[in-house]
Amino acid sequence: MKRRIIEIDREKCNGCGACAEACHEGAIAMVEGKAQLMRDDYCDGLGDCLPACPTGAISFVEREAAAYDEQAVLANKQKKMQEKMRKEGTPLPCGCPGSQSRSIRHTETRQAETAEPVSRLSQWPVQIKLVPVRAPYFDGAKLLIAADCTAYAYAAFHERFIKGHITLVGCPKLDGVDYSEKLTEIIRSNDIQSVTIVRMEVPCCGGLEHAAKTALQQSGKFIPWQVVTISTDGRILD
């Protein structure tokens, strides 16, 4: 199939390895001191590696390439983790929770017995950089796109925002990436029913709002959406 995929210019590559570190799918490795795309089916075409490259050696191209294989990527990650655990002599886990997509179900029993709040998180992972583009929990989902700090600033965040939503969180300032391409693919590839964007009042949070709005526009879908702004002292401003 013909699709968008990365291309690495070996002449421009300085061998720093930043792109290999930034590639969550393990598609890039260092070979003889230069970055190299190891497998087409490990590259999701979203380009998290592009902003990490200091020399501009990575670009997008349209060419014949194997389709992105998420299951193969997850299997490879688990294999590498198991190998690392063996070398370190530590017990092998069943898998890396940071890379394995799963749904979470809660009951009200604990809250009734202890009067403690119940987590409303319904899926894992939640970080925009880690969440898969396609997952069963996206089917018919009400999507929450939230800045990292909002859950700390607003006390009733779980009940007010996470409950009944699929949650994606991130900070464009700290991550140093543009989330719009990945969010576009998530909205375009799944049956998303609505989008709620929760941001802080600080200016840097505008990047998250902009990325979400851009994704909604580029997805080609007409989906109800809203933006909620949280103040630094924990109030809803609008």
Side-chain angles (χ1 to χ4, degrees):
M1 63 179 294
K2 193 171 184 179
R3 68 180 183 94
R4 186 172 73 164
I5 196 167
I6 66 162
E7 183 175 73
I8 302 173
D9 186 334
R10 290 181 63 85
E11 294 298 320
K12 291 183 179 180
C13 176
N14 66 0
C16 70
C19 59
E21 290 291 331
C23 180
H24 302 293
E25 290 72 31
I28 302 174
M30 304 305 295
V31 178
E32 297 180 353
K34 297 285 186 175
Q36 181 173 316
L37 177 62
M38 304 304 293
R39 287 182 51 159
D40 288 358
D41 59 341
Y42 282 8
C43 178
D44 60 9
L46 296 178
D48 285 345
C49 54
L50 267 70
C53 179
T55 64
I58 306 175
S59 59
F60 282 125
V61 295
E62 290 277 344
R63 66 170 173 83
E64 290 292 329
Y68 173 60
D69 189 339
E70 183 180 339
Q71 293 304 314
V73 169
L74 292 176
N76 183 54
K77 286 182 178 180
Q78 185 170 348
K79 179 181 177 181
K80 286 184 176 180
M81 175 169 284
Q82 290 174 342
E83 291 174 350
K84 181 180 179 180
M85 291 294 185
R86 289 191 184 97
K87 289 179 180 179
E88 294 177 351
T90 53
L92 290 176
C94 59
C96 175
S99 62
Q100 292 183 342
S101 177
R102 61 191 176 96
S103 297
I104 302 172
R105 301 188 183 280
H106 300 282
T107 67
E108 304 294 334
T109 304
R110 182 170 64 85
Q111 185 178 30
E113 293 177 347
T114 66
E116 292 183 359
V118 172
S119 171
R120 299 300 182 180
L121 190 65
S122 61
Q123 103 286 343
W124 186 265
V126 296
Q127 287 289 337
I128 297 173
K129 293 181 69 174
L130 298 179
V131 73
V133 171
R134 298 175 184 83
Y137 48 71
F138 282 130
D139 186 28
K142 295 179 180 178
L143 195 63
L144 170 65
I145 303 173
D148 288 347
C149 298
T150 55
Y152 294 95
Y154 188 70
F157 194 81
H158 273 248
E159 291 296 327
R160 174 65 174 80
F161 296 111
I162 294 181
K163 185 178 181 180
H165 290 78
I166 294 300
T167 303
L168 305 182
V169 301
C171 176
K173 184 174 183 178
L174 295 181
D175 286 343
V177 298
D178 181 0
Y179 298 127
S180 59
E181 289 189 12
K182 187 165 189 180
L183 291 175
T184 297
E185 290 302 313
I186 290 173
I187 296 172
R188 180 185 292 155
S189 304
N190 299 279
D191 180 25
I192 303 299
Q193 297 298 301
S194 66
V195 175
T196 299
I197 304 157
V198 183
R199 55 163 293 180
M200 296 297 296
E201 63 176 328
V202 295
C204 57
C205 259
L208 184 70
E209 179 180 344
H210 175 74
K213 289 181 177 178
T214 300
L216 284 163
Q217 293 171 350
Q218 294 182 347
S219 71
K221 295 183 176 181
F222 297 94
I223 300 173
W225 62 276
Q226 64 172 326
V227 178
V228 180
T229 302
I230 307 295
S231 68
T232 53
D233 61 357
R235 295 174 292 112
I236 295 180
L237 297 181
D238 53 36

